Amino acid sequence: MIGLGSGAQMIQAATLVGVVLLEAVVLYLGYGALSNVVGEPLVERIRTL
Amino acid sequence: MELFGFAASMIGLFVGFGFMVGVLFGFFGMGGSFLVTPALMIMGFETTTAVGSGMAFVFGTAIIATLKHRDLGQVDYKLGGLMIVGTTAGIEVGRIGLYFLQDQGLAGLVVGVTYVVLLGGVGLFVTRNAIRNDNDGDEGDNDHHDPDAEIDPDAIPDIAKQIQSYNVPPMLAISGGIKVSLWMILGVAFATGLLSGFLGVGGGFIRMPAMFYLIGIPVPIAVGTDLFEIVFSGGLGSFLYGLEGGVDLSIVAPLLAGSALGARIGSTATSLVDESEIKIYFGLMLLGGAVAVALRQLGNATGINELQVISFGLIMLAALAVGGAVIYSAVQAIRDDARSTGVTPAD
């Protein structure tokens, strides 16, 4: 049986999970955009090193 | 300077370590938290904080990796849904077990010994297979790039063929054209969930070999589905540990920031580098992790602080060496390709 805490603890734990989820999505989109910008030039730079 | 109650140098260490772990996670599809949780334990965090924060880190990393694998069509949602059921039950049992041991004052010792046995066992297995494949001239498991393709019967391990020959209904058809007993899927999921809840790991380093060797699931589907499943089990585990105050966001946030970038580089490297070339390093890294945790336990038992320092250095060095090998091999592959296509190096 899953032992759940008080309402405040549950809200705090759910917020924590939400923050990690949000950070992950922001990082996915942010790094995705970054790699679109610098990915190709970086590979070209390595190819011509 | 301090950020979130930590020295900036500590934040930098977390970001850097997360980056290396992310490279490994992105490249091998596993190998994230089994380095993070022992590292946190070695750094002196309480076992439940190390396990809970490790699990939250896995949750975040799995979200990022699943989004990527979903785009490649490497997620079997039916299999993933069933794995979630078994894993969820296993996580709760594992978590209850850990808090029980914590109350007895045995959590650190039992978790440490379990890590040593698991990391050492899987490390030996992977290293032995990598050496054997090298000697056989085998290209390894990385051949199955098309998730919808039928599996070559020769590529299915003998143990998987034996297990698949047991017909325990209901049998389910999954991607790759294979049929698997529902009970086998639930059993593997429960056992790995138990380890996830107990050790704060995604369970990929156990579940991945289990899915391939015990069930015979093609590697890309095993990786994508495993990650999809970890999103749910990791989310639930983070929530449950969060209820008890076992998740420290000031640890998780910088680790995740580093690993997200590393995972992107690692997953890109999969299309450039043959996994079988790196697999032996991965096996050795697991063995290094086992030795590091064993040294820490020995340091705790004997009060020799130097062993803790050596242990910490070893685990960082192992991640750095294998992550570095992946990046180096990817750079070499790009340069080899440039040479073969006649690109002139810059002066």
Side-chain angles (χ1 to χ4, degrees):
Chain A
M1 172 110 183
I2 294 176
L4 296 176
S6 67
Q9 282 175 308
M10 288 179 68
I11 291 171
Q12 196 178 3
T15 305
L16 195 141
V17 172
V19 168
V20 176
L21 175 70
L22 185 66
E23 185 190 355
V25 173
V26 167
L27 287 170
Y28 177 75
L29 296 174
Y31 284 140
L34 183 70
S35 62
N36 282 342
V37 174
V38 303
E40 199 57 40
L42 183 65
V43 169
E44 268 316 301
R45 183 86 184 97
I46 292 170
R47 284 170 67 88
T48 54
L49 269 177
Chain B
M1 192 176 83
E2 285 206 352
L3 288 166
F4 309 114
F6 276 128
S9 58
M10 187 65 101
I11 302 274
L13 180 70
F14 281 146
V15 173
F17 185 52
F19 175 79
M20 279 302 159
V21 169
V23 170
L24 301 175
F25 193 80
F27 188 77
F28 292 106
M30 56 179 170
S33 57
F34 73 83
L35 284 171
V36 171
T37 304
L40 292 176
M41 287 169 69
I42 288 165
M43 289 166 79
F45 290 97
E46 205 171 304
T47 305
T48 45
T49 304
V51 171
S53 302
M55 184 159 276
F57 166 71
V58 167
F59 168 59
T61 310
I63 292 168
I64 295 165
T66 304
L67 288 169
K68 185 120 182 145
H69 281 272
R70 185 202 58 166
D71 296 343
L72 299 170
Q74 294 172 345
V75 180
D76 185 322
Y77 292 99
K78 183 169 72 176
L79 178 64
L82 291 168
M83 297 290 287
I84 288 167
V85 173
T87 308
T88 303
I91 283 180
E92 181 56 6
V93 174
R95 188 187 68 90
I96 290 169
L98 181 64
Y99 274 101
F100 173 76
L101 289 172
Q102 178 98 323
D103 291 342
Q104 309 295 314
L106 294 170
L109 176 68
V110 175
V111 168
V113 170
T114 310
Y115 260 113
V116 172
V117 171
L118 277 177
L119 290 176
V122 177
L124 278 175
F125 182 75
V126 171
T127 306
R128 197 192 64 170
N129 270 10
I131 292 169
R132 188 181 287 173
N133 286 346
D134 251 8
N135 293 340
D136 293 349
D138 193 337
E139 291 299 311
D141 303 335
N142 211 27
D143 297 343
H144 314 293
H145 285 297
D146 181 1
D148 293 323
E150 296 277 331
I151 303 175
D152 176 4
D154 292 337
I156 300 175
D158 289 341
I159 186 171
K161 285 180 191 165
Q162 180 70 37
I163 290 167
Q164 286 169 44
S165 70
Y166 300 131
N167 199 338
V168 185
M171 300 294 285
L172 300 173
I174 59 170
S175 308
I178 56 172
K179 288 199 163 190
V180 187
S181 167
L182 171 67
W183 303 111
M184 174 58 70
I185 295 170
L186 291 178
V188 167
F190 179 82
T192 53
L194 193 66
L195 289 172
S196 296
F198 192 66
L199 300 176
V201 295
F205 75 102
I206 291 292
R207 190 157 38 235
M208 273 290 299
M211 285 168 95
F212 180 67
Y213 289 108
L214 296 182
I215 306 179
I217 296 166
V219 169
I221 300 167
V223 173
T225 307
D226 181 42
L227 291 166
F228 168 71
E229 189 277 329
I230 291 172
V231 170
F232 288 87
S233 58
L236 176 71
S238 305
F239 177 77
L240 292 173
Y241 274 100
L243 284 175
E244 314 272 354
V247 178
D248 190 338
L249 261 185
S250 56
I251 298 171
V252 179
L255 278 174
L256 198 53
S259 80
L261 180 61
R264 202 163 266 280
I265 292 171
S267 59
T268 303
T270 56
S271 61
L272 300 168
V273 183
D274 185 351
E275 185 187 342
S276 61
E277 289 174 12
I278 306 280
K279 216 164 197 173
I280 189 163
Y281 299 112
F282 185 68
L284 292 173
M285 182 186 68
L286 292 172
L287 290 173
V291 172
V293 178
L295 285 176
R296 176 183 166 272
Q297 294 298 332
L298 197 62
N300 281 347
T302 58
I304 303 173
N305 288 334
E306 286 77 7
L307 288 176
Q308 309 269 11
V309 177
I310 294 170
S311 168
F312 182 69
L314 189 60
I315 213 159
M316 290 291 175
L317 198 65
L320 194 66
V322 183
V326 170
I327 293 172
Y328 176 78
S329 300
V331 169
Q332 282 300 113
I334 293 170
R335 296 188 64 187
D336 288 347
D337 180 61
R339 272 194 287 272
S340 67
T341 52
V343 173
T344 314
D347 291 329

